[in-house]
Every structure is written in structure tokens, then in C-alpha cells.
Amino acid sequence: MSTTDTGSGTDTGSRADAGGRADAGGRADAGAARRAAASLGRLRSLARAELTLLVRNRTAMFTALLMPLAMVLFMRSTVEQAPLEGTGLSVTDLVMTSGIPMVLILVVYLNLIPAYVSRREELVLKRLRTGELRDWEILAGAALPVVAVALAQCAVLVAAGAALLEMTPPDRPDLLVLGVLLGVVLMVLTAAATAVITRTTESAQITALPLLMVSLAGSGMFVPLEAMPDRAADILRLLPMSPVVDLVRYGWLGGGEPGEVLRALGTAVAWALVSVFAVRRWFRWEPRH
């Protein structure tokens, strides 16, 4: 009798432990779901407020909506003289695949720097940190409206290239999407990092220039890196936007050996990690004095 009772007690205890673990796991999953929903709600509210401010700012709206189109048209007239022999690229290929990284720079990067700086100087960031919002939610919520505009313009560029300019559909859509997403992440992070050294919204036009000019001149947008000497091309591929340009071209036009794709991914991830470190270490949430 005692043996039977002991076995029965052991089975009952095992079932109780298993049930307890299941209940604890269910409560943990429910708690994680509630936290995720609350975070999403906070992001949505902050993004709605930022979108309202973006629509009211005529300069920001011009930069976000019209300047990318103007720059793409300007690029087409400029790159007609680019040395494309031996690169496998036509003028249309170069313009359209360079247009996507350019949209990310002009829409996301150039708009976010003054947005972060103005919110900081107006004590908005400081007030937001006193509530439930986490640091990353504050930065991401401010970025969501311009990111949405940039993604919509990238989609329009791809559709226009395929429908109006007789370009072939993307050969590797996965690489194209990955390049765009990595570009968005890099531009948001570098905008936050650039805001560290930007004292006023007016000076944002100056502090944004180095990355803008280096990217336009050296990341293969106007002159393909394939047309440059190998040593120079290898160095220029280490620039922040170079892996984005490469991944967009590999995704839309094909090509790109596995080693080249991995190199582009590694460079983009490395720049993202450097930017995360810079933001975590030096980003200011209060006005500069």
C-alpha cells in the first residue's frame, strides 16, 4: 500500500509541477504580449504627433516629398557622362538604383537631425523620458513618419522603373528589401548620432553635409565603384551608404557573389553597431549649454 501511495503522490506532484510551469509560462507570454501591445500603442501615439508636426513644417515636407524627385532628375542629367563601360550598368540602371539610397538620405537622415535637435532644445525629449516611453521608443516614434514616407517613395521608384522605364522587375527582391531596411536603420541611427554634435536646428544643415557629400560622391551613386580602381573601390565600400547601394543593385539587377553580399551585410551591420554605441554613449536628452 505504501509503495502505491508514494507513486501516486509522485505522479500528482509531477503533474502539479508541470501545470505550474505551464501556468507560469502562460502568464509570462500574456505579460510579454501586454507589454508589446503597450509599446506599440505608445509608438503609434508618438508617431501620430510627429506626423502632425511634419505636415505643418513646409520645409520638412518639401525635403521629404519633392527634393528626392528633383535630385533623381538632376542625377539623370549628370550621370549621362559617367564612365559606365565595363560596369554592366546603363544610365537608367544607375539612376534608379541610386535613387533609393538617395531617398533614404534626403527623407530620413536630413529630416531627422533637425527633428531630434528641436525636440531636445524644446525639452520635449526630457519630458517624454519622465513617462512610460523608453529611450528607443522615443527615437523610433520620432522617426516613423519620415520612414513611412521614404518607404513609400522607394516603392514608387521601383514601380516606376518597372512600368515606365522598361526595367526588369527586381531579380532578388529579398536583397532589395534587405538593403532598403538596412538603409533605413542606418539613417535613423546616424541621424541620432549626428544630433549629438548639432547644437541648433539651423546648424543641422551643416552637420549633415559630411555624410551627405561623402555618400553622394563615394558610395557609387553617381559613379559606380566598379568603374574605379580596385584599391579605391575597396576603400569606398567601407562608407556607411556603400553597402546599401550594393545591396539595392544586387537585389534589383542581380549579380553579387555570396562573398560580396556578405561583405555588404557585414559593413552595414558594423556601421549600425557603431552608431548604436555612439547614441547610447553620447546622445543628449536635454538642451546643450
Side-chain angles (χ1 to χ4, degrees):
M1 277 302 285
S2 59
T3 303
T4 304
D5 291 343
T6 302
S8 176
T10 302
D11 292 342
T12 302
S14 299
R15 288 193 295 271
D17 291 343
R21 288 194 296 271
D23 291 342
R27 287 194 296 271
D29 291 342
R34 285 194 297 271
R35 289 191 295 272
S39 178
L40 183 61
R42 293 192 295 266
L43 281 173
R44 186 165 52 245
S45 299
L46 184 55
R48 188 183 301 115
E50 290 290 339
L51 179 60
T52 301
L53 294 175
L54 176 64
V55 172
R56 291 177 180 175
N57 189 328
R58 294 183 179 179
T59 302
M61 285 298 294
F62 171 79
T63 303
L65 297 178
L66 299 180
M67 186 178 287
L69 176 60
M71 286 297 294
V72 170
L73 295 176
F74 168 76
M75 177 185 289
R76 184 172 184 84
S77 63
T78 302
V79 301
E80 289 179 351
Q81 307 301 322
L84 300 181
E85 296 80 4
T87 64
L89 296 172
S90 66
V91 171
T92 300
D93 293 340
L94 181 61
V95 170
M96 297 305 293
T97 55
S98 297
I100 290 177
M102 185 175 293
V103 164
L104 299 182
I105 294 175
L106 297 178
V107 177
V108 180
Y109 182 68
L110 293 188
N111 279 290
L112 270 186
I113 299 173
Y116 286 144
V117 173
S118 64
R119 306 298 180 270
R120 180 191 69 205
E121 299 302 312
E122 294 166 0
L123 299 177
V124 174
L125 298 183
K126 183 178 181 179
R127 289 196 296 268
L128 289 174
R129 293 188 87 200
T130 62
E132 296 181 350
L133 284 163
R134 302 173 184 176
D135 290 352
W136 72 266
E137 291 175 343
I138 296 173
L139 297 178
L144 282 177
V146 291
V147 167
V149 172
L151 293 178
Q153 291 197 354
C154 290
V156 169
L157 277 176
V158 174
L164 303 178
L165 302 178
E166 298 181 354
M167 291 186 67
T168 59
D171 188 77
R172 290 283 305 275
D174 55 330
L175 289 183
L176 178 59
V177 171
L178 183 59
V180 172
L181 294 180
L182 281 174
V184 167
V185 172
L186 281 173
M187 290 299 95
V188 172
L189 290 173
T190 52
T194 306
V196 172
I197 60 173
T198 306
R199 290 186 174 274
T200 64
T201 54
E202 291 77 14
S203 62
Q205 301 176 12
I206 299 174
T207 56
L209 276 179
L211 179 65
L212 174 64
M213 300 306 296
V214 166
S215 298
L216 294 180
S219 291
M221 294 188 191
F222 283 87
V223 179
L225 298 183
E226 292 83 359
M228 299 183 181
D230 292 340
R231 186 180 297 273
D234 290 339
I235 295 174
L236 293 175
R237 280 197 168 90
L238 298 177
L239 295 174
M241 285 304 289
S242 295
V244 177
V245 175
D246 284 340
L247 288 173
V248 168
R249 289 205 176 124
Y250 298 154
W252 198 337
L253 305 176
E257 299 295 330
E260 295 172 332
V261 173
L262 290 176
R263 178 181 59 189
L265 291 174
T267 304
V269 171
W271 276 109
L273 293 176
V274 169
S275 300
V276 168
F277 173 80
V279 172
R280 290 175 63 91
R281 177 67 177 82
W282 293 296
F283 189 82
R284 293 176 179 266
W285 299 92
E286 300 182 19
R288 297 173 61 96
H289 298 292

